[in-house]
Each structure stands twice: as structure tokens, then as C-alpha cells.
Amino acid sequence: MPQIITEENLRNLIDLLVKESKVVVGPKETGSVVLYQPLTAGSDLRLDSLPRRSAKELFFPICENILTYQRQDGKMQVTDVDRSHFPETVLIGAPPCDAASPAILDAVFSWDYNDEFYLERRRKSTIVGIACTKGDDACFCTAVGLARDTEAGSDLFLTPLKDGSYGCKAVTEKGKALVDAHAALFGEAASVDAALFVEQGTEKLDLAKIKNWLEGHFEDPLWEKIADICVGCGSCAFICPACHCFDINDEGSTEQGSRRKHWDACGFSKFTNHASGHNPRDVQNKRYRNRIMHKFKYYDDKFGKTLCTGCGRCVRACPVGIDIAEILSTINAKQD
Amino acid sequence: MCQSKNIYLPNLATIEAIVDETPDVRTLRLVFQDDQVRENFSFRAGQFAEYSAFGAGESTFCIASAPTRKGYIECCFRSVGRVTESLRRLEVGDSIGVRGPYGNSFPIEQFYGKSLVFIAGGIALPPLRTVIWNCLDLRDKFKDITIVYGARSEADLVYKRELAEWQERDDVRLVKCVDPGGNGPDFDGKVGFVPNVLEEAAPSSENAVALVCGPPIMIKFTLPVLERLGFADDQIYTTLENRMKCGVGKCGRCNVGNVYVCKDGPVFTAGEVKAMSQEF
Ligand SMILES: Cc1cc2nc3c(=O)[nH]c(=O)nc-3n(C[C@H](O)[C@H](O)[C@H](O)COP(=O)(O)OP(=O)(O)OC[C@H]3O[C@@H](n4cnc5c(N)ncnc54)[C@H](O)[C@@H]3O)c2cc1C
Ligand code: SF4
Ligand code: SF4
Ligand code: FES
């Protein structure tokens, strides 16, 4: 028999986890927007709208210390950050477009050199994903190969049912452990009648075909046409669940301070600027081209994954109305 | 605190010596403070490291000393911005951070038995100096060694004392040059641009490899000359010096297409660079 959890018990589960000193993060109303935030109680959880920013900052914070340094008695000392204190975290209520992204990012952060800041957080996290019931004009997850009920990336997957409860499926050992540890909250369902999904009506994209076109069209008038209006604000990268570029900088004096790793964006004009003044991506449309190429070609070449989950955030946020889904469907429709 | 390795954590090194090469280019000789690191640190010619001036950040420089010289490493940098200017303020005895070595290297073993032609412009001598000394320390493994090195002016030539040493040796042919107008009355080298001087020096391409480092414009005009001298694309090596931060394939800054210069490079053959045919 499939397992279910009632709405009330889902909120009770959050209360319990908080009591166990776990950090529970989920969509929460904060000011006028819904964001992924630490939940203090089950009643905080809001499942009716996609958080404005993605959940990647749980694993890859906007800004974090990677070491501290201090001069003592004339001698410099460098101290590592204690990662053993990263908290056990449960991410609850991530739709497939957000639950999928850490699994995609694992590749770059564990490639050859392990970024333990990211990986340790990943080890200590459990992702409770939830099937989506509502797309909007900007969503296109189904076009990039996900579906409203894609379990990939989730440890435990919830499906909203018609009666208001949730069907549960433990996808990984971590998910199973979460259910086993709180078995009393989960019940068995006689039937699981999933709630209806409001389809966005986006066409399916042929990602292999798009990649193929990108391969042969590094120089194409398209880039100037679509991307000359990009103002390089970086919004699209900062709210994207898959963008992972970062910078490293020191904060403090020469005597004492910290070295910090923080988000960066290939849309910024100085991102690739050489000290000599030479800049390989000297104009904005080249930077935007890199954004598309990285997501739909380079990342796939290197790691066999597409660096976009179709969450549509960049479409909603772009101040000049650049629509990545539209660009992809334009490319998808090309014959050569 | 028991935890896995922090790949961003530098080793501390002490500045043991400082040499001012030109008014804005400086060489630092660095000795690792930890005994074990000092003994175990090894690298190959062409690899780079991330050097930090605490409070300012990190900068990428190649390791300019030769792997055959043990116990210390050297870097040579031009002051151009925040980190390099902070590094410049440090004195002998001060600590700097070093993490690395990173990246691939020149396949020196594959050059055994061949003639070598080094071509460098301006501040780009350090990435080749490591190879030059590495090969000079193994001199009998190679045939002819030619070094063509040029800078804008006499004052901009780096490693002048070593240029003098190479000039003295009869197992090395050094052709030193400066741009027209950059020469003083007593300049003992050639006056002209690197590509032209190279063409005139005409080193043989037979059983030879060419190693080229310099500003993009110099490389652009040097490659056709090498071609005319008979060098094939896979006989020519260069380094790409894209902007870097992490140095370990994570920060997404240094890519040329799907090539991460920090991991797959910085050393590439001219053939590999041409195949990229993309922004760098
Ligand atoms: C593999 C590799 C090997 C390299 N090897 C060497 C080497 O051996 N030697 C070497 O010298 N270099 C080398 N470089 C280049 C070197 O990494 C850069 O020169 C160095 O990182 C510059 O760092 P910076 O922080 O001082 O400059 P930044 O502060 O980052 O400055 C970059 C640019 O911004 C400008 N700038 C800085 N501050 C300001 C300001 N306040 N206002 C306006 N403009 C500003 C600078 O003039 C410069 O043009 C190498 C690079 C790579 C990738
Ligand atoms: S590129 Fe846009 S649609 Fe794709 S994952 Fe990032 S924010 Fe979402
Ligand atoms: S949000 Fe729009 S304007 Fe801003 S960098 Fe992205 S594409 Fe350009
Ligand atoms: S320097 Fe960060 S990816 Fe190459």
C-alpha cells in the first residue's frame, strides 16, 4: 500500500524536526514575497507559490567564509572553517525544478577537486520534494525534460492528493530514514488519487538538437539580436537554481579578516576581464551567449547534464524581458 | 576538528628574497613554512598557483622557478591591481599564501632529443623561464636551444641577470630584442618586434618544438612566422591566461567553450587553441 501523510501531519513533522534541532527550510512568506527560509513551525509552510529565489543557497550560500586569517605575534595564521558544525537540514516543499538542481550541481562541485563547503551541506541535507500543481506563464520545466512529478533529486517525494493529503515515496535511503524516524505521522492510503496539474502548455524542446545547433553557431546573428538589450544586471544568474559561478575575495585588513566565496555572474562585464585590459567577452551579447552555451552545451559536454531546470525565474526577473524559453524554442525551430 | 580537506586553504610561505626586475615587475622567492609541505611540494613546469596577500585576495601566477630547483618556489608578477599591489607592499620575512600547483604542464619528456625554441614577450618570460631552467638543468637531453625574448624597451626586459647568463653560455642561443625606440645607446641586442626578429633568427623546425608566451597580439603575429619556418600546429605550445579565481574548475570563470583553462590548461598546443576557435 502506498503511504500518505495528511496536511496536518506534514506540519507536525516540521514541528518535530525543529524540536530535534534540525534546520527545516521551506517556502515561507517573508515580507511581500515567498522565499525559502528556515521554518520555525509547521504553520510557516506555504505551498501555493514558487519561492522568488531558488533553494540552491542552502548548499551554496550567497556568501560564506572559506577561511579566516590573523596575525599573531608577527606571524600569520590561517584557520579553516569548521564544517562539522554545518547543521542537519531538511528542505521541505521544493517542486521538481528546485529539487533537481542540487543533483545537477553535484557534478561541478565534486569534479576532481571536492568543494567540501558545498558537499558537506549536501551530505547533511534531506530534500522533500513535492509534485507541482501549478505552472505559470514563465514555467517550462516540462520543456527541458522534467515533469510535474519528477522525483529525481528528492529524497522523499510528496504528491498532493485530491483529498488534501500527500502521497509519499521514499526515493533514497535518506528519505526512507526520515519516514522511518517519524513513522507515526505516515499512514497507508487505500487509493491515491493525485490532484490535477494545470499544464503550462509549453512545447517540448529537443535538447540534443538545441545543443547541436549551439555547437555550430557560436557566431550567429541571433546573439546580437536577442542579447544586445541585456543590461548585465546578473539577476537571471542570482535567482537561478543551477548557476554556480562564484568569486573569492578577502574582507578585513592585512592583520585580520576572512576570505569569502560569493556568487558571481558571467553577465557582469568584468567577469572575464584580464588585468591587461583585454576582455574575451567584451560586449554584452557575448556574455549572454556564454550563459546559454554554458547551460545547454558546455555543462552537458562536460558532465552530461543540462544546467537549467525550467523554473522560469530568470524569465520573470529579467528587467528587459529576455525570455530564455522563447530563445530555446526559436533555436529548437531552426532547420539548419 | 576532523573534516575533509578545504581546497581553498593556502599554505603559508615566507618571502625569502625580493628582486625588482623592472619598475613594476617583481620576483619573490618563497619558502613554505611547514616542513612537510616544503619537502613534499612538487610541480611541473607550466603549472600555476594562487598566491594570496591577506586582506586583498588571491592572484594567479605561473610558478616561475624550475621544478629541478628544490626547497623554494619563485613567482614573478607585474603590479596591475588590487592583489598585485598588495603583494608588492610585502617585505622579506612576510607571509604569503600559496595554493597549488594547478593545471597541466609542458610535456618536457616528449621534448627529449629535440631542439627547443622559446619565444617570449614582455612579462611573459616567467611561464617559459621555468621550462628554460628545467631544460638547461637537463641540458644533454636536448639538441639546440634558442631563446627569442623581446620587450617594449630595455627597461621592460625581465630577468636581465639571467639573460646575461644565457648570453654567456655556448649551449644556448639567446636573441634579445626591444621595440624600435626602446633601445638605449649601449643596447647589445636587436631592435625590432619579436615576430620579425624570430623570422630573421630562423631556427630550424626540424625535430623541434616552439614554446610561445606573450601578449595576444605578439602570439597572433608570431604563429604565421613559425608556420613559415615549418613548425606544424602540434609542434607549437603556448599558455592561455584567462582570468581565474578558484583554479580548480568550480568558479566558472576561465572557460573557453567546454575547456576549463585552469584544469585542462593552461598549456595548449597551437592546434588545440585553433580547434577552440572561440573567445580567449
Ligand atoms: C595561468 C595564469 C598565469 C599567470 N601568470 C602570471 C605571471 O607569471 N605574472 C604576472 O604578472 N601575471 C600572471 N598572470 C596574470 C595575473 O593573474 C593578473 O595580472 C593578476 O591576477 C592581477 O591581479 P590584481 O588583483 O592585481 O588585479 P585586479 O585588481 O584584478 O585588476 C584587474 C584590472 O582592473 C584594473 N583595476 C584594478 N583596480 C582598479 C581600480 N581601483 N580602478 C580601476 N581599475 C582597476 C587593473 O588595472 C587591471 O586592469 C597569470 C594569469 C593566469 C591565468
Ligand atoms: S536558466 Fe532560468 S529557467 Fe533555467 S533554471 Fe535558471 S532561472 Fe530557471
Ligand atoms: S536578468 Fe536579463 S538583463 Fe539581467 S543579466 Fe540576465 S538577461 Fe541580462
Ligand atoms: S579558475 Fe575557476 S573554473 Fe577555472
Side-chain angles (χ1 to χ4, degrees):
Chain A
M1 268 294 124
Q3 281 190 304
I4 59 149
I5 187 166
T6 61
E7 163 98 29
E8 192 190 353
N9 276 348
L10 180 62
R11 295 185 191 272
N12 290 339
L13 175 66
I14 295 171
D15 290 335
L16 268 174
L17 291 169
V18 170
K19 235 179 253 160
E20 290 168 18
S21 306
K22 298 223 165 60
V23 171
V24 185
V25 174
K28 180 182 173 181
E29 197 167 308
T30 314
S32 59
V33 290
V34 172
L35 295 173
Y36 285 106
Q37 290 281 300
L39 307 177
T40 47
S43 54
D44 284 347
L45 186 70
R46 277 276 308 267
L47 289 177
D48 58 352
S49 89
L50 184 73
R52 182 74 64 90
R53 300 204 306 255
S54 82
K56 80 174 171 202
E57 59 200 78
L58 227 67
F59 313 101
F60 175 38
I62 297 171
C63 200
E64 72 178 314
N65 281 359
I66 52 175
L67 60 88
T68 54
Y69 60 89
Q70 184 168 27
R71 198 187 300 277
Q72 251 169 3
D73 310 320
K75 246 186 111 47
M76 190 58 78
Q77 275 180 342
V78 173
T79 311
D80 198 354
V81 170
D82 184 358
R83 292 178 297 283
S84 63
H85 288 165
F86 285 179
E88 291 281 343
T89 302
V90 182
L91 168 63
I92 234 164
C97 59
D98 279 352
S101 81
I104 296 171
L105 292 178
D106 288 350
V108 69
F109 285 113
S110 63
W111 170 55
D112 206 355
Y113 290 85
N114 286 339
D115 182 320
E116 288 294 331
F117 291 91
Y118 173 90
L119 294 174
E120 182 65 7
R121 287 195 182 83
R122 281 287 281 140
R123 276 179 219 118
K124 288 190 167 161
S125 68
T126 304
I127 299 179
V128 181
I130 185 163
C132 197
T133 48
K134 194 172 82 183
D136 69 16
D137 287 353
C139 290
F140 62 101
C141 71
T142 51
V144 292
L146 296 180
R148 56 159 309 217
D149 56 358
T150 298
E151 296 162 356
S154 292
D155 296 301
L156 179 65
F157 193 74
L158 306 178
T159 306
L161 302 179
K162 277 190 176 147
D163 67 5
S165 60
Y166 300 91
C168 308
K169 183 173 170 198
V171 184
T172 67
E173 283 303 312
K174 270 185 188 171
K176 188 170 179 302
L178 183 70
V179 174
D180 289 350
H182 305 90
L185 297 176
F186 295 84
E188 286 195 350
S191 79
V192 279
D193 205 359
L196 286 176
F197 178 53
V198 186
E199 187 67 62
Q200 313 102 301
T202 36
E203 59 174 321
K204 209 162 166 53
L205 295 170
D206 182 344
L207 294 175
K209 182 181 168 202
I210 291 174
K211 179 165 177 273
N212 209 19
W213 187 87
L214 291 174
E215 228 143 46
H217 293 82
F218 189 75
E219 305 287 353
D220 191 278
L222 178 80
W223 303 118
E224 273 170 54
K225 207 170 119 225
I226 60 169
D228 254 359
I229 56 163
C230 170
V231 293
C233 66
S235 304
C236 51
F238 276 49
I239 52 167
C240 176
C243 279
H244 61 79
C245 292
F246 62 87
D247 201 351
I248 299 174
N249 278 297
D250 282 9
E251 275 180 27
S253 66
T254 53
E255 298 302 301
Q256 133 173 34
S258 52
R259 181 157 295 162
R260 290 155 78 74
K261 177 175 152 209
H262 53 87
W263 293 358
D264 205 346
C266 65
F268 293 151
S269 59
K270 290 208 163 161
F271 190 70
T272 53
N273 197 34
H274 291 199
S276 63
H278 169 68
N279 193 346
R281 294 183 210 133
D282 54 354
V283 293
Q284 201 60 34
N285 64 55
K286 290 188 186 170
R287 295 173 205 131
Y288 192 82
R289 172 178 63 193
N290 182 70
R291 178 174 173 77
I292 301 286
M293 290 278 179
H294 189 192
K295 289 187 176 296
F296 299 95
K297 173 170 155 49
Y298 308 153
Y299 205 79
D300 189 308
D301 281 343
K302 195 100 199 161
F303 303 116
K305 294 166 187 209
T306 299
L307 202 60
C308 169
T309 67
C311 70
R313 285 193 178 85
C314 58
V315 183
R316 293 177 207 104
C318 180
V320 297
I322 294 179
D323 183 334
I324 197 171
E326 204 178 288
I327 294 165
L328 292 172
S329 72
T330 304
I331 296 175
N332 201 41
K334 286 183 184 289
Q335 296 308 317
D336 64 336
Chain B
M1 169 165 49
C2 169
Q3 57 187 8
S4 307
K5 196 167 164 266
N6 175 355
I7 51 173
Y8 306 108
L9 208 61
N11 290 305
L12 285 171
T14 304
I15 300 178
E16 203 189 54
I18 294 176
V19 180
D20 280 321
E21 305 289 349
T22 76
D24 63 354
V25 176
R26 172 171 277 196
T27 297
L28 302 180
R29 176 174 290 209
L30 308 168
V31 175
F32 288 108
Q33 291 171 6
D34 185 279
D35 296 338
Q36 250 182 340
V37 175
R38 192 165 54 237
E39 267 161 41
N40 296 339
F41 190 89
S42 70
F43 69 100
R44 293 180 46 89
Q47 290 193 289
F48 64 92
E50 292 293 330
Y51 302 81
S52 45
F54 295 100
E58 292 181 306
S59 247
T60 315
F61 311 129
C62 65
I63 301 176
S65 51
T68 38
R69 314 273 166 109
K70 308 271 185 210
Y72 66 89
I73 60 167
E74 285 177 341
C75 65
C76 175
F77 62 94
R78 169 173 278 158
S79 299
V80 287
R82 210 167 107 85
V83 178
T84 45
E85 265 148 31
S86 289
L87 284 171
R88 216 187 148 75
R89 281 193 283 273
L90 299 177
E91 295 166 4
V92 169
D94 280 344
S95 295
I96 88 168
V98 182
R99 60 184 177 92
Y102 296 135
N104 71 350
S105 55
F106 291 97
I108 288 181
E109 291 80 6
Q110 290 175 31
F111 302 162
Y112 287 176
K114 296 183 195 254
S115 293
L116 306 174
V117 183
F118 295 95
I119 306 147
I123 170 70
L125 186 56
L128 291 188
R129 180 214 188 209
T130 172
V131 197
I132 294 174
W133 279 119
N134 191 346
C135 294
L136 289 178
D137 286 345
L138 308 169
R139 184 61 188 91
D140 54 359
K141 296 207 184 291
F142 306 96
K143 293 173 69 190
D144 299 344
I145 294 185
T146 308
I147 303 169
V148 178
Y149 173 52
R152 261 172 308 167
S153 75
E154 243 181 284
D156 289 310
L157 291 166
V158 300
Y159 298 118
K160 290 194 184 65
R161 63 204 174 284
E162 297 185 6
L163 296 176
E165 201 178 327
W166 298 336
Q167 196 129 43
E168 293 282 294
R169 290 176 71 135
D170 52 14
D171 58 353
V172 178
R173 177 175 171 220
L174 174 73
V175 186
K176 180 173 75 175
C177 65
V178 297
D179 292 356
N183 54 311
D186 307 322
F187 183 56
D188 59 347
K190 301 226 171 246
V191 175
F193 297 102
V194 168
N196 307 342
V197 171
L198 169 71
E199 187 144 33
E200 205 184 282
S204 165
S205 58
E206 205 188 305
N207 192 26
V209 289
L211 291 75
V212 196
C213 268
I217 184 87
M218 184 206 94
I219 295 189
K220 187 171 161 215
F221 288 108
T222 299
L223 291 181
V225 173
L226 283 171
E227 219 164 286
R228 282 200 289 279
L229 291 173
F231 286 85
D233 284 348
D234 60 359
Q235 279 175 284
I236 306 170
Y237 291 79
T238 188
T239 67
L240 291 186
E241 307 214 327
N242 280 25
R243 192 78 196 270
M244 293 183 183
K245 268 292 167 165
C246 70
V248 289
K250 312 282 174 228
C251 76
R253 191 173 308 265
C254 68
N255 74 300
V256 181
N258 58 10
V259 172
Y260 282 73
V261 176
C262 66
K263 289 281 298 112
D264 306 321
V267 177
F268 296 97
T269 64
E272 287 167 336
V273 171
K274 276 186 193 163
M276 292 176 200
S277 77
Q278 294 188 353
E279 47 195 14
F280 52 82

